[in-house]
Amino acid sequence: MKVTILGSSGQIGAYLTEYLKNKGHIVVEFDIANADWQDMTRIPNINLHDALQDTDFCFFLAFDVGGSRYLKKYQHTYDFINNNTRLMANGFDYLQRYKIPFVFASSQMSNMSYSPYGVLKRVGELYTKSLEGLIVKFWNVYGIEKDYEKSHVITDFIRKGFETGVIDMLTDGEEEREFLFAEDCCEALETIMLNYKEFRSDDDLHITSFSPTKIKDIASIIQGQFNLIGKYDIKVVPSEEKDTVQMDKKNRPNTFITKWWFPKTTIDQGIAKVFNEMKNDWI
């Protein structure tokens, strides 16, 4: 299939681009990180028009987003809200115009009305339902990240360990998250694409590990990876702060997608893969 990936250089998009190419699909990449002319907030954008005019399928992954540290700092700002509003209006306009089957990447935070990020993802869901596309809800997908300003907790902890020897946590680490390795996420997305006609816009397609892990336990697993190297004495320092991004709201994932797909990688296996790839930058 000829597949256009909006947000092809993001954490999930980069993995998905490589995954689909290896599966024999033709992938059209579109991401501002590639070139300024691939800026989806530019309205109109003739290059976005060209990317979507002739394609079999689209993954709408593009969003101005990062980990908890990034969201805490930026999600209440004008630029964050404006960027995401504009890129959605632009992207959905072309998807509507060319009647392209697509998947929109939402978040399990879309029901958190106190979070601008969650509200914006909810708007994206409403756009998607109006066009009869499919909504997937991600639950903390992790893998290699190149933009450390937007990095999520696992890559952030590994980087801190190598750079400072101290994993200083933003919270007390008691909050739980469901972490999914990016390669498993790619398999889920391709499965949905290949079985597109079997799903409806109202289906709850939650892409997650279905296994919660406390943040303090993530730090401990990463500390264990450093111990295997032998020459690093890594300290884990929890904060006294509580989670202020999700405010400890506990959503429960819908298991509907497990009729077609189920994750394969445990949290220990996934962290080991990310760690071993990242350590090449320091060792």
Side-chain angles (χ1 to χ4, degrees), residues 97-129:
R97 190 179 307 181
Y98 299 121
K99 313 300 180 188
I100 301 164
F102 72 97
V103 163
F104 173 69
S106 188
S107 166
Q108 58 97 12
M109 289 180 65
S110 66
N111 66 348
M112 301 181 188
S113 60
Y114 45 80
S115 164
Y117 168 68
V119 171
L120 288 163
K121 283 296 190 182
R122 178 57 183 154
V123 170
E125 291 180 0
L126 295 174
Y127 266 119
T128 301
K129 287 186 177 183

Side-chain angles (χ1 to χ4, degrees), residues 14-41:
Y15 273 90
L16 184 61
T17 296
E18 182 178 0
Y19 179 90
L20 292 179
K21 286 180 178 179
N22 289 337
K23 286 299 188 85
H25 301 287
I26 300 168
V27 178
V28 177
E29 300 181 50
F30 204 92
D31 196 303
I32 190 175
N34 298 333
D36 184 64
W37 54 265
Q38 294 184 17
D39 182 359
M40 286 184 61
T41 68

